[in-house]
Amino acid sequence: MSTLTHHFEDSLHSTERQNAIGIGTAKMHLATAKQFCLGALAMLSAGGLLTGLVVLRTAIYFSRFHY
């Protein structure tokens, strides 16, 4: 029976198949990292915008009372 499945087992464990699996995994990790970085950039931009608005409103508030 092993002579009938010998070629099948070799094709599953071949270096070409392992390389293809490794490349697919690397592409998936790269896409995940890119998505995380874009999300982090969006959060930092929103935080910077919010901070700028608070500073602007505070400057306007203090300028009315001549501080």
Side-chain angles (χ1 to χ4, degrees):
M1 188 61 151
S2 65
T3 58
L4 295 175
T5 61
H6 179 68
H7 179 67
F8 180 71
E9 289 175 0
D10 285 344
S11 66
L12 287 177
H13 301 293
S14 68
T15 56
E16 294 153 358
R17 181 159 172 85
Q18 289 176 355
N19 287 340
I21 292 171
I23 291 171
T25 304
K27 286 182 181 179
M28 184 176 61
H29 287 297
L30 181 62
T32 304
K34 282 183 181 179
Q35 185 178 6
F36 175 77
C37 289
L38 287 175
L41 181 63
M43 293 297 284
L44 287 173
S45 297
L49 181 64
L50 186 64
T51 303
L53 287 173
V54 169
V55 168
L56 182 64
R57 289 187 67 175
T58 304
I60 292 170
Y61 176 78
F62 283 137
S63 70
R64 289 186 180 183
F65 294 105
H66 304 290
Y67 282 109

